[in-house]
Amino acid sequence: KNQVEQSPQSLIILEGKNCTLQCNYTVSPFSNLRWYKQDTGRGPVSLTIMTFSENTKSNGRYTATLDADTKQSSLHITASQLSDSASYICVVSDRGSTLGRLYFGRGTQLTVWP
Amino acid sequence: EADIYQTPRYLVIGTGKKITLECSQTMGHDKMYWYQQDPGMELHLIHYSYGVNSTEKGDLSSESTVSRIRTEHFPLTLESARPSHTSQYLCASSRGESNQPQHFGDGTRLSIL
C-alpha cells in the first residue's frame, strides 16, 4: 500500500533554532517528492520538488534531502522565524499514471515561539 | 504568489441546499484539482481535470460534481448539502508536466447545519 508517513506530528521550537522534519514513504514507482508549507487558513505553498536523482534542494532557509534507496526525506529549517509556524506536508508522486498520482502525508505542525 | 482564487472563503448553510464552490486561475494551467481536507488529516483528491471538457473522479468518493467549460474555471457543485459534507475544500492547478508544483487556492471552509 502506497503511504507517506511524517514525524513528528507536532513540534515546538524557539525562534532562531534549527529543526528537522521527517518523511518516510512506500510509494512505488517513485517520480518525485514535494514539501509544502500550509499556513493556518491558507492553501499549501510549494517549497521544493525533488526527483529520483536529486539528493538535496534548498529554498532559502529550507533544505530538503532525499534518500531514494531508503525512501526517506527530511526538511531542515535553519534559524527559525515566527512566520515558519505552519503545517509542513510531504507529498510523493508516482509514475504509475499520466496524472502522476500524489500521496499526501498528514503534515508536521510546527510552532515557533518567541 | 500563485494566481488561483476560491470563493467563498467561508460558507455556513442548511441541509438540502444546492452549493457551488468557485475556483478560478489566471495562469493558463491545463490541470486543475479539487481536494478535501479535514483538520489534522491528509488532503484527499475528489476531482481533477486535464483540460477543457475533461473531468475525472478522484480517490475519495464524493457526491459533488465538477465542470470545466473554460480553462480558467473549475467549479464544484453539491446538489443537496448534508452535514457529512462539512469540510475544507481546496482547489489547485498545475502545468501539464508531472514534475510541476501544484498551486493551491486558500480554500473554502464549508459547514452544513
Side-chain angles (χ1 to χ4, degrees):
Chain A
K1 181 181 177 183
N2 288 320
Q3 284 186 313
V4 177
E5 301 287 343
Q6 293 188 243
S7 62
Q9 183 176 346
S10 62
L11 180 64
I12 299 174
I13 62 173
L14 294 177
E15 186 178 15
K17 299 297 186 182
N18 304 334
C19 67
T20 300
L21 314 180
Q22 301 291 342
C23 174
N24 296 336
Y25 63 92
T26 59
V27 176
S28 181
F30 173 86
S31 176
N32 59 72
L33 185 144
R34 308 151 185 236
W35 282 95
Y36 283 85
K37 178 188 179 188
Q38 185 175 21
D39 292 318
T40 301
R42 306 294 297 274
V45 174
S46 177
L47 295 176
T48 63
I49 296 179
M50 288 183 292
T51 59
F52 185 89
S53 59
E54 296 175 296
N55 300 117
T56 185
K57 183 166 280 190
S58 292
N59 179 356
R61 293 180 297 102
Y62 301 103
T63 299
T65 64
L66 173 64
D67 185 334
D69 291 331
T70 62
K71 297 188 177 182
Q72 295 179 327
S73 175
S74 65
L75 180 69
H76 186 74
I77 304 174
T78 304
S80 61
Q81 301 175 359
L82 298 179
S83 59
D84 292 331
S85 294
S87 178
Y88 292 84
I89 303 171
C90 177
V91 185
V92 181
S93 176
D94 71 11
R95 288 187 287 110
S97 68
T98 304
L99 179 64
R101 193 201 187 289
L102 298 181
Y103 298 85
F104 288 81
R106 293 186 176 184
T108 291
Q109 184 64 48
L110 175 66
T111 302
V112 181
W113 282 2
Chain B
E1 203 69 30
D3 295 319
I4 179 164
Y5 307 100
Q6 292 185 242
T7 57
R9 287 295 312 278
Y10 305 93
L11 180 61
V12 181
I13 200 166
T15 298
K17 301 293 185 181
K18 180 179 179 179
I19 302 166
T20 297
L21 307 184
E22 301 288 350
C23 176
S24 294
Q25 51 97 4
T26 59
M27 296 169 283
H29 289 167
D30 287 327
K31 292 182 177 177
M32 295 190 74
Y33 316 80
W34 276 103
Y35 291 93
Q36 191 171 333
Q37 184 182 32
D38 293 315
M41 302 296 288
E42 64 267 44
L43 277 71
H44 290 285
L45 181 68
I46 50 176
H47 295 282
Y48 61 94
S49 168
Y50 288 126
V52 172
N53 295 324
S54 152
T55 62
E56 301 286 345
K57 286 189 178 295
D59 307 309
L60 184 67
S61 175
S62 173
E63 294 163 351
S64 58
T65 59
V66 292
S67 63
R68 189 87 183 276
I69 299 173
R70 303 198 316 264
T71 298
E72 62 271 20
H73 197 211
F74 192 41
L76 181 145
T77 299
L78 281 164
E79 289 294 332
S80 180
R82 295 207 302 266
S84 61
H85 297 140
T86 295
S87 188
Q88 164 133 305
Y89 294 83
L90 289 163
C91 180
S93 71
S94 68
R95 292 187 176 187
E97 299 81 10
S98 62
N99 287 346
Q100 293 298 310
Q102 291 188 339
H103 299 272
F104 286 84
D106 284 334
T108 293
R109 184 163 296 281
L110 179 63
S111 295
I112 310 299
L113 304 177

